[in-house]
Amino acid sequence: MDNVNFTPKEILQKQFRQKMRGYDPDDVDSFLDNVIKDYDTFVKENQRLQDENERLLAKVDELTRQVQVGASQPAATTTSQSTSSVTNMDILKRLSNLERHVFGSQLDNDPNESHRL
């Protein structure tokens, strides 16, 4: 914001010289009041966006550090995946046993035995 020429307060306090055939001072004041409101809105929005940008940059830095730490530990990921597949197989076996227990003889008489593990 170094290249900004006026603040809302400076716009509000600006005095114009009057000439015999000039603009209506009330029209000029009314217009400048609207300019001040818009200018103030833009200043606030600019500050909000700068704050958000700083927050997001900090978040990017944090996530980059987490990725770097995660990349240095590849063995843990492989172990986690194999544990996950064993767990999935256990779940399928338990489900099959549960179906056999709940449906009993209905499943035993079924010619399609693809449900058994």
Side-chain angles (χ1 to χ4, degrees):
M1 303 252 336
D2 294 335
N3 55 355
V4 174
N5 293 321
F6 302 107
T7 65
K9 185 176 180 180
E10 291 171 335
I11 295 171
L12 178 63
Q13 294 175 347
K14 175 67 178 164
Q15 295 292 321
F16 294 94
R17 290 175 281 163
Q18 292 184 355
K19 294 201 174 195
M20 199 169 217
R21 294 184 138 199
Y23 294 105
D24 181 15
D26 292 334
D27 285 344
V28 173
D29 286 344
S30 175
F31 178 76
L32 288 177
D33 287 343
N34 290 330
V35 169
I36 291 168
K37 288 177 189 174
D38 288 349
Y39 195 87
D40 192 41
T41 301
F42 289 132
V43 167
K44 288 177 182 175
E45 180 66 9
N46 188 22
Q47 185 60 49
R48 185 191 68 78
L49 291 172
Q50 286 177 353
D51 293 345
E52 182 179 7
N53 190 33
E54 289 175 13
R55 181 185 61 81
L56 292 173
L57 287 172
K59 185 70 172 177
V60 166
D61 290 342
E62 176 187 338
L63 292 173
T64 302
R65 282 192 300 272
Q66 288 178 3
V67 166
Q68 290 172 348
V69 167
S72 67
Q73 299 174 349
T77 305
T78 306
T79 306
S80 172
Q81 289 174 348
S82 65
T83 304
S84 175
S85 64
V86 170
T87 304
N88 289 342
M89 186 57 122
D90 289 339
I91 291 172
L92 289 172
K93 285 180 182 178
R94 290 178 184 171
L95 182 60
S96 177
N97 289 336
L98 181 61
E99 287 176 340
R100 200 173 301 119
H101 178 73
V102 170
F103 295 110
S105 62
Q106 293 174 0
L107 290 177
D108 291 335
N109 294 335
D110 188 8
N112 181 9
E113 296 188 13
S114 63
H115 63 277
R116 292 186 182 195
L117 293 177

